[in-house]
Amino acid sequence: MNTSASDRKAIRRVVISALVGATIEWYDFFLYGVVAGIVFNKLYFPGSDPVVSTLLAYTTFAVGFVTRPLGGVIFGHFGDRVGRKIMLIITLMIMGVATFLIGLVPTYAQIGIAAPLLLLLLRIAQGIGLGGEWGGAVLMAYEYAPKEQRGWYASLPQIGLAIGLCLASGVVALLSGLLSDAQFLSWGWRIAFLISGAMVGVGLYIRLHVQETPEFAAVKARNAELRVPFIDMLRRYPGNVLKGMGARYIDGVFFNIFGVFSINYLTGTLSVSRTDALLGVMAAAVVMIFFIPFFGRLSDQLGRSRVFMWGSLITASSAFPGFWLMTHSGGNMALVWLAIIVPFGILYASVYGPEAALFCELFDAKVRYTGISFVYQFSGIFASGITPIIATALLKSGGGQPWQICLYLLFAGAVSALCAWLIGRSPAPEPAPATCALSRAPDGARASASAGRTGTPPPR
């Protein structure tokens, strides 16, 4: 398929907008998780039992995942009725303001019980913002992309997760290395949250200069928006919703064990320094930046469900050698970092790379924002939000040994592989009906009447 220079420029603009915004949102969201087990458990949830205070800190971390489905439904609804672009602007603002304010919340010692309550309220806002962000970002790239390259283009905003995690871990590691423990706990950690304000300004500027996607423009031109997309999604695609949530399981569990819980495990159980643990996660995130689009492109060539299915099984199985190497590293940081980088930086990307396109293809354009947001965010409650809590409990149950955690990961991988296999055997969603002339569509969508008939961008 030939793509004109103007089309390529429009696609690049959309992808950059989605990637920058996703990076900022994930930085904000992950920053909380990185800090929860090393700062919030001490300053906002003090107690005589460090395990209990850590569990309480991770509980507020989990709340962000509980509220993400609410954000997904709200912004998915208006994204399918009003448009993708405006929702992405709103979600970015919500997330940025909430993160900035977390950096200003007084500690428990200063204002008592109001401190963790304010932290909880702002974490709820973060969850709502991210709940609407992810679906809109990947959808913009997916719906603009040529059909045969949708896996690759939809994977590019996914890189925002890796960059966001890299930035969150890197900023905290830098502050930890430059400051004493007392300085870091007193005020240093707040800097990481406060710089989010400047990042949001950059993201908003970029997002204000993109146009609506051709597929949604076609829906608007026909006045074919649904009154309640969520109801239509449940009525027409109940099986796809369940299969999508099942496929998401290994993504959420694996990411939060290696990207969040491992920091607390390395520092608390293996006595690795906080800076070294953060550097290991950051290095894995850097490697992941290159492997996410690699597996996204591979899914265009070999099939979405096939890459995701095998990726789920291999990724889950890698936890055993990964944790064994951490446990038996003998303090050798090169081995510790290798134990994180290979499973997390390389193998995990085989799941996360093709995931966006896999979920987008479960729904047609009229309910796609709602559908992918709900699948990704609602399943995140179980797959992501409570994972650090489960991992902490399993570690204690195993006497400080991580093998029960590895078995839990293997179970999650098997569930996701089965669901991916079922998705591969399912028929494609019913395409949107034929369109009339797109007199109201922006940019190149006006000449794209065939987009509505095929459910893909027109030939270029």
Side-chain angles (χ1 to χ4, degrees):
M1 177 183 295
N2 295 323
T3 306
S4 68
S6 61
D7 286 333
R8 289 194 297 270
K9 183 177 179 181
I11 293 173
R12 282 198 302 270
R13 186 186 301 122
V14 167
V15 169
I16 292 172
S17 166
L19 175 58
V20 171
T23 297
I24 296 169
E25 296 265 5
W26 283 121
Y27 168 82
D28 291 350
F29 197 76
F30 290 144
L31 184 60
Y32 191 103
V34 171
V35 173
I38 57 179
V39 174
F40 293 158
N41 58 331
K42 299 179 178 68
L43 300 184
Y44 293 88
F45 303 94
S48 56
D49 188 338
V51 174
V52 173
S53 60
T54 299
L55 286 173
L56 287 173
Y58 279 144
T59 299
T60 59
F61 174 74
V63 166
F65 289 90
V66 174
T67 56
R68 275 165 58 171
L70 176 62
V73 171
I74 293 172
F75 291 105
H77 172 85
F78 289 104
D80 283 327
R81 284 188 55 81
V82 179
R84 283 68 159 123
K85 172 184 172 179
I86 185 62
M87 295 303 108
L88 288 176
I89 292 173
I90 295 173
T91 57
L92 186 61
M93 292 181 64
I94 291 174
M95 193 69 163
V97 171
T99 304
F100 182 83
L101 291 177
I102 286 175
L104 300 177
V105 175
T107 64
Y108 185 92
Q110 294 171 319
I111 61 173
I113 192 64
L117 291 179
L118 285 173
L119 206 62
L120 180 64
L121 181 64
L122 293 172
R123 183 60 176 173
I124 289 173
Q126 277 193 325
I128 291 175
L130 186 60
E133 162 68 26
W134 180 85
V138 301
L139 203 53
M140 290 288 287
Y142 176 87
E143 291 185 344
Y144 256 98
K147 183 178 181 180
E148 72 277 5
Q149 294 180 293
R150 283 183 156 180
W152 186 66
Y153 275 106
S155 72
L156 296 179
Q158 298 283 75
I159 299 174
L161 173 139
I163 301 176
L165 177 62
C166 181
L167 290 175
S169 302
V171 169
V172 176
L174 178 64
L175 292 171
S176 296
L178 294 176
L179 304 175
S180 66
D181 283 345
Q183 290 173 323
F184 180 79
L185 285 174
S186 176
W187 53 268
W189 65 271
R190 296 182 184 274
I191 296 175
F193 287 86
L194 296 178
I195 62 177
S196 176
M199 295 170 64
V200 168
V202 175
L204 287 176
Y205 174 80
I206 295 174
R207 285 196 166 172
L208 287 170
H209 290 80
V210 299
Q211 299 296 327
E212 195 53 78
T213 71
E215 281 197 59
F216 185 74
V219 172
K220 291 285 287 184
R222 304 193 308 270
N223 293 317
E225 306 96 312
L226 298 171
R227 182 177 295 274
V228 186
F230 183 76
I231 299 299
D232 192 76
M233 174 200 72
L234 293 179
R235 179 177 60 83
R236 295 173 57 204
Y237 301 113
N240 285 4
V241 169
L242 292 176
K243 286 179 282 191
M245 288 194 296
R248 165 89 161 89
Y249 197 16
I250 184 60
D251 164 23
V253 172
F254 198 88
F255 180 91
N256 283 279
I257 284 180
F258 273 83
V260 177
F261 171 78
S262 67
I263 297 172
N264 190 49
Y265 172 70
L266 290 170
T267 57
T269 303
L270 302 183
S271 300
V272 173
S273 74
R274 181 172 60 233
T275 301
D276 285 337
L278 289 167
L279 286 175
V281 173
M282 184 176 67
V286 171
V287 172
M288 195 190 305
I289 291 171
F290 301 96
F291 279 91
I292 286 175
F294 169 80
F295 285 107
R297 186 178 291 278
L298 192 65
S299 75
D300 285 325
Q301 300 168 345
L302 302 181
R304 223 81 69 204
S305 60
R306 180 182 301 175
V307 173
F308 194 96
M309 178 184 70
W310 287 109
S312 298
L313 294 174
I314 295 171
T315 299
S317 301
S318 71
F320 286 94
F323 272 100
W324 184 90
L325 196 56
M326 286 186 215
T327 305
H328 296 84
S329 63
N332 187 326
M333 288 314 305
L335 294 179
V336 172
W337 290 342
L338 183 66
I340 299 174
I341 291 171
V342 174
F344 192 38
I346 299 175
L347 300 180
Y348 169 75
S350 67
V351 172
Y352 200 66
E355 184 177 69
L358 181 76
F359 290 173
C360 285
E361 289 166 0
L362 293 174
F363 308 98
D364 71 80
K366 290 187 289 186
V367 299
R368 191 173 287 144
Y369 200 145
T370 299
I372 65 173
S373 296
F374 182 76
V375 163
Y376 189 85
Q377 307 301 353
F378 186 76
S379 61
I381 298 174
F382 313 101
S384 301
I386 63 175
T387 292
I389 299 173
I390 292 175
T392 301
L394 290 176
L395 186 66
K396 185 176 183 180
S397 173
Q401 296 297 314
W403 312 124
Q404 291 183 21
I405 298 173
C406 295
L407 289 173
Y408 178 58
L409 277 165
L410 195 61
F411 170 74
V415 170
S416 294
L418 174 61
C419 290
W421 179 78
L422 291 173
I423 289 173
R425 294 173 59 87
S426 303
E430 182 181 341
T435 66
C436 57
L438 305 185
S439 57
R440 289 171 17 197
D443 283 356
R446 187 171 292 110
S448 312
S450 61
R453 292 194 294 271
T454 64
T456 64
R460 295 180 173 90

